[in-house]
Amino acid sequence: MSRQKTPVFLQRASYRQRRLRDAAKLMPVLGGILLALPMAWSHDPSGEPSNSDRVVYIFGVWILLIVLTAIFANRMRADPVDAAEDAPPQ
Amino acid sequence: MMSFNVLIVVALAYVTLLFLVAFWADRRAREGDANWLSSPWIYTLSLSIYCTGWTFYGAVGYAARSGLEFVTIYLGPTLVMVGWWWVLRRLVRIGRAQRITSIADLISSRFGKSTQLGMIVTVISVIAATPYIALQLQSVTLSFAVFAELEGASWGDADFNVTAMWTAVGLAIFTVIFGTRNLDANERHHGVVMAVAIEAVVKLLALVAVGVFVVWGIAGGPDQMLDRIDSSEIVLWNQDSGRWISLIFLSAAAFLCLPRMFQVLVVENADERHLHVASWAFPLYLFIMSLFVVPIAVIGLDLLPTGSNPDLFVLTLPLNEGQGGLAVLSFLGGFSSATSMVIVATIALATMVSNHIVVPIWLRRHTSQQAVMSGDVRRVILLSRRLTVAGILALGFLYYRMSGGGTALAAIGLISFTGSVQILPALIGGIFWRGATAIGAGAGLVTGLTVWMWTLFLPSFGTDAFIGQEIMDHGVYGLTWLRPQALFGITSLDPLVHGILWSMLLNAGMFIICSLITFPTPLERLQGAQFVNVFDHSNATSAWTAAGTGAEDLLIMSQRILGGIEAQALFEQETLRQGKIGYLPEVTPEFIERLERELAGSVGAATAHAMIGQLIGGSNVSVEDLIAVADEAAQILEYSNRLEEKSEEQERTARALRSANDKLTALSIQKDAFLSQISHELRTPMTSIRSFSDILREGAMEDDEQQRYAAIINAEAVRLTRLLDDLLDLSVLENGQVVLHEQTGNLSDLLDRSVAAAGLHDGVLSVVRTPSAENLVLTADLDRLAQVFINVISNARKYCDADNPELTIRLHRIAKDYVIDFTDNGSGIAVENQELIFEKFSRVSDESKAGGAGLGLAICREIMQRLGGDISYVTDNTGTAFRVTLPFTAVVATLEET
């Protein structure tokens, strides 16, 4: 329905906003893939990777997701018109 | 060493602090100062009720037993939060647009405001939440026992039960006081959210403190810690991959479906933008909460004697190292986690039970009852919520006692999650797929509930409790494919993964198939379009068409639910929006739509719809609406939208103009009447003065006769003067030349004076007041204020037509303002006259009764406006009611506070 309202090509700033939104949408996908990798680990406690490496990997992925999401969310908020597309027509 | 009694004192002091904070936050919010209470940080912290007492203590035990698997419980919510753009943003927008009060309300509202679906979701939620509440009671009780055993006491069953019972009672009291105090239109609980936020900080600090002590105090730094993890006997990775993925999925889904999470995520959300912050801040909170879990588990396994309960390492490790203070902090952390979860969970469940079970049943029983009372539905709702809170805690306690509080209970956390998650297909389907129908959702929910009960919940009570060993091994009636832990002959799966897999598959399958083959009702299709396309058009398609009902009936119904003052405020606001003045708006379809949503914010969509339906007479969805929904010609609608917006604007102006025109016409007629009236009023005394003075001039009469004629002349002259005084007073006030003399005095004295001066000594009118409630110190022109009071009181004396006239004077507060209501028991003023009474020259009743010229109320209004206050006529069920709003600046202080 919003077809008539939104132009096909956007200005540079709004274009950036769109791509930021795409990136934010991809976060759970990225997280899902990185967190699925441990399923390939060996069940042998003394095997590779070592216990401490396993802990570091999982917590590393976790903090990476948090930092990326924080960056995207802050960039989005910095731009006041980011919600304009979704705002109810009033 | 900490004595047990000191611990009790610390716990009680902490609870008192929470009470004070909740009380203070509620008060600030009531005074309209809620801005900083709804910051994104408070929102983020309130989400932390996800980390319950079970996770606070149990995560370490989980890590000691199953290694890194514990982290799945936190990774699921992390994925949901970082993917907020997909689901959460949509849920929050829908929650705000549709005034959703709970997850049951969301499902019921989406599928055509169906009462039955609301009931099913409520039942699932209550069953799934009960074991979880029992778990919290257990964790608090166990942590108390650790300290008791330090002093050598060995706790028996009775001690555990008493502790659990008192914990449950305390929680019930807190929740009833702060969670069910009000029934706002948007179901927010500032006090509770504030207390929960504080508890979130305490539990984070507690776990971090223990973790820092373990990593730096015992292990000697991060590097040494990693070495110790490597050399420890702990097995960090031994689960099959199915469990890893299933648990991440399970916790992600539970994060959305748990009633308490829905409450803080969607219902208590004050601003959609808070999600921006929470999207990374809440995962960070979870990250910090779990960062030290593995170190604590590893060190605990190393240092504590074998056989000690790893679930309590967070407490016993500091105690073992002689850190009593740290142990108490850790105790408070665990206590906070358990209590905040129970409080929010019971509030959410109580809302669901009252809105989706109690009220529908109550309404069905009371349909024929016509004698409606203001606020009666509200009373039923509040009472049922309070009883539900107590009932749910009692259920949790009973479950705790029945299960014996052992390790059996700990295993049920994930099973309880699986129960709540049965709502997921209906939830996700409902907000993304327009084809989802109520029958599909119901079928999916019931299937999921049944499979969950059969495969996980009933077996969790232990063999032979509900399901015997015979059935576990061979199925019912020899049907081996019905074995609870090997449905359809699949035996190789872990029982939990098996339960999750089958319940979700069959649930989603039934939901999709039944949705595909059934046809939704018109209301379902309307709601479906609104939910799925919530970002495209937040403006609703009108579901109500011709409105064959009066605004007065709607007002009376709203008063039953919201209470008198709130309902009147709502209607007044709507009248203003329509560009009119007064208390009764025009009944347009848009207004009914808005009113229904407003009521839904208190009693849920299904009930609000049913109650309005009773009044309107079921004329909701018209053929035109159906065509609009069914036909994708909605494109055309979009074009006309803009036109419509414009014409709406014009319509509003036209309505205002029409209203103004009506008033002018009426006034003009009144004015003509007044002119003839005033010439009459002026001529009558003049005629008598002239004729009597003629008689006097002729002389030759008795003395007393002479006296009598002189008295008549005098009285007529006084009447003339009064009339002219009134006119003069009004013109002075209107031209703004009046000088105000400010004085300070007590409102009660002022009312005393006014009642005395209004000439009530003839006993025609009795006045009802509560002097103790009128203690208010004012600084204003008190003589002018008294003039207003006297006028209103003597009006009541003159016009009240009841057999035993009675005037009630009552002072109360609406938001910041103090208002005084003067209400009599007469028949009131007809609607068509309500707008005119404050105009000069206007008189409503027949002239014979009135002594004045219809200027009194006009003068009153001018005075109040000069003083900075207001006077208005209030539409009320009982008699004539005038409301005097005191000027805000005039109120110096209430006496209780000075």
Side-chain angles (χ1 to χ4, degrees), chain A residues 21 25 35 52 54 62 86, chain B residues 85-86 89 230 237 244:
Chain A
R21 232 173 275 163
K25 285 185 193 172
L35 290 174
S52 57
R54 295 177 187 198
W62 202 340
D86 296 328
Chain B
W85 197 270
W86 291 107
R89 195 175 65 109
D230 277 337
W237 195 262
W244 174 259

Side-chain angles (χ1 to χ4, degrees), chain B residues 756-772:
Chain B
L760 299 188
H761 35 73
D762 53 2
V764 176
L765 178 75
S766 55
V767 174
V768 182
R769 292 172 50 195
T770 26
S772 60

Side-chain angles (χ1 to χ4, degrees), chain B residues 501-668:
Chain B
L501 185 74
W502 281 123
S503 64
M504 290 317 288
L505 274 185
L506 294 175
N507 179 338
M510 283 302 276
F511 171 57
I512 293 171
I513 292 169
C514 291
S515 290
L516 289 176
I517 59 178
T518 53
F519 195 81
T521 64
L523 192 56
E524 270 176 74
R525 305 182 72 182
L526 274 177
Q527 287 294 99
Q530 281 192 37
F531 273 58
V532 174
N533 302 333
V534 67
F535 293 112
D536 293 340
H537 45 81
S538 293
N539 289 358
T541 322
S542 176
W544 299 106
T545 50
T549 183
E552 210 133 23
D553 296 332
L554 286 173
L555 176 60
I556 290 170
M557 186 200 64
S558 311
Q559 283 180 344
R560 293 178 66 192
I561 297 174
L562 302 171
I565 293 167
E566 289 83 353
Q568 280 165 20
L570 176 71
F571 274 63
E572 197 181 354
Q573 206 183 329
E574 174 66 21
T575 321
L576 274 181
R577 219 188 53 80
Q578 291 184 352
K580 290 175 60 183
I581 302 165
Y583 282 89
L584 290 177
E586 246 172 64
V587 184
T588 59
E590 297 86 58
F591 170 55
I592 300 179
E593 187 87 7
R594 203 167 300 121
L595 181 68
E596 185 185 331
R597 261 190 227 163
E598 205 68 43
L599 297 181
S602 289
V603 294
T607 306
H609 189 72
M611 288 192 78
I612 291 201
Q614 271 180 17
L615 277 188
I616 311 270
S619 66
N620 45 23
V621 182
S622 69
V623 180
E624 286 87 343
D625 287 323
L626 271 182
I627 292 169
V629 183
D631 197 348
E632 287 303 330
Q635 299 263 355
I636 301 161
L637 266 179
E638 184 65 19
Y639 279 120
S640 67
N641 249 0
R642 247 172 255 160
L643 278 178
E644 214 170 274
E645 257 166 52
K646 265 184 206 149
S647 73
E648 206 172 278
E649 177 72 41
Q650 278 163 351
E651 203 179 306
R652 209 176 303 143
T653 320
R655 215 181 282 142
L657 282 176
R658 215 178 307 135
S659 165
N661 187 40
D662 285 352
K663 211 155 104 182
L664 279 177
T665 320
L667 267 181
S668 151

Side-chain angles (χ1 to χ4, degrees), chain B residues 81-381:
Chain B
M81 287 309 290
V82 300
W84 60 286
W85 197 270
W86 291 107
V87 178
L88 280 182
R89 195 175 65 109
R90 185 172 277 264
L91 272 183
V92 168
R93 176 68 68 87
I94 292 173
R96 294 172 67 77
Q98 303 282 330
R99 313 299 292 260
I100 298 296
T101 60
S102 65
I103 188 158
D105 192 31
L106 181 90
I107 301 289
S108 131
S109 181
R110 159 63 179 85
F111 294 103
K113 311 189 180 180
S114 141
T115 316
Q116 291 83 353
L117 277 182
M119 283 187 183
I120 297 176
V121 174
T122 305
V123 168
I124 293 180
S125 300
V126 171
I127 297 177
T130 304
Y132 218 82
I133 287 172
L135 260 179
Q136 309 307 315
L137 295 179
Q138 184 194 28
S139 70
V140 172
T141 316
L142 277 179
S143 61
F144 268 114
V146 166
F147 282 88
E149 276 160 20
L150 269 190
E151 295 197 320
S154 174
W155 275 25
D157 268 358
D159 296 315
F160 279 108
N161 286 339
V162 167
T163 315
M165 192 189 77
W166 282 114
T167 312
V169 169
L171 284 169
I173 292 174
F174 185 92
T175 313
V176 166
I177 290 182
F178 293 105
T180 61
R181 188 201 325 245
N182 48 2
L183 191 64
D184 350 329
N186 46 21
E187 265 330 315
R188 293 216 183 93
H189 309 85
H190 296 282
V192 170
V193 168
M194 198 62 212
V196 164
I198 293 212
E199 294 196 295
V201 174
V202 170
K203 65 195 185 200
L204 187 69
L205 281 182
L207 207 60
V208 168
V210 176
V212 166
F213 169 70
V214 165
V215 172
W216 277 274
I218 301 181
D223 289 341
Q224 288 90 330
M225 190 64 238
L226 287 177
D227 289 343
R228 282 185 91 144
I229 292 177
D230 277 337
S231 59
S232 164
E233 79 235 42
I234 191 169
V235 180
L236 283 185
W237 195 262
N238 66 347
Q239 69 275 41
D240 62 282
S241 40
R243 227 175 125 82
W244 174 259
I245 284 294
S246 303
L247 287 182
I248 292 183
F249 163 78
L250 180 66
S251 60
F255 187 68
L256 290 171
C257 295
L258 286 173
R260 64 172 196 276
M261 290 318 300
F262 191 86
Q263 175 84 23
V264 284
L265 267 175
V266 179
V267 182
E268 307 272 358
N269 177 295
D271 188 336
E272 212 173 295
R273 279 167 304 187
H274 291 176
L275 276 178
H276 282 266
V277 173
S279 69
W280 58 270
F282 183 62
L284 185 63
Y285 185 94
L286 294 176
F287 177 84
I288 301 173
M289 280 298 273
S290 29
L291 190 56
F292 294 106
V293 168
V294 174
I296 295 173
V298 166
I299 300 287
L301 285 174
D302 268 6
L303 295 185
L304 294 174
T306 34
S308 25
N309 183 359
D311 281 332
L312 292 169
F313 278 176
V314 184
L315 271 184
T316 47
L317 200 55
L319 282 175
N320 193 50
E321 300 294 311
Q323 301 284 339
L326 192 57
V328 172
L329 182 61
S330 151
F331 166 82
L332 284 185
F335 186 75
S336 299
S337 325
T339 50
S340 53
M341 175 267 162
V342 175
I343 290 167
V344 180
T346 44
I347 290 178
L349 291 174
T351 309
M352 286 159 66
V353 170
S354 71
N355 287 358
H356 297 284
I357 294 186
V358 177
V359 172
I361 292 175
W362 187 86
L363 276 182
R364 192 161 302 167
R365 286 187 158 195
H366 289 73
T367 39
S368 56
Q369 186 196 22
Q370 287 304 312
V372 284
M373 267 184 337
S374 175
D376 62 342
V377 178
R378 176 197 176 92
R379 262 193 296 283
V380 170
I381 292 174

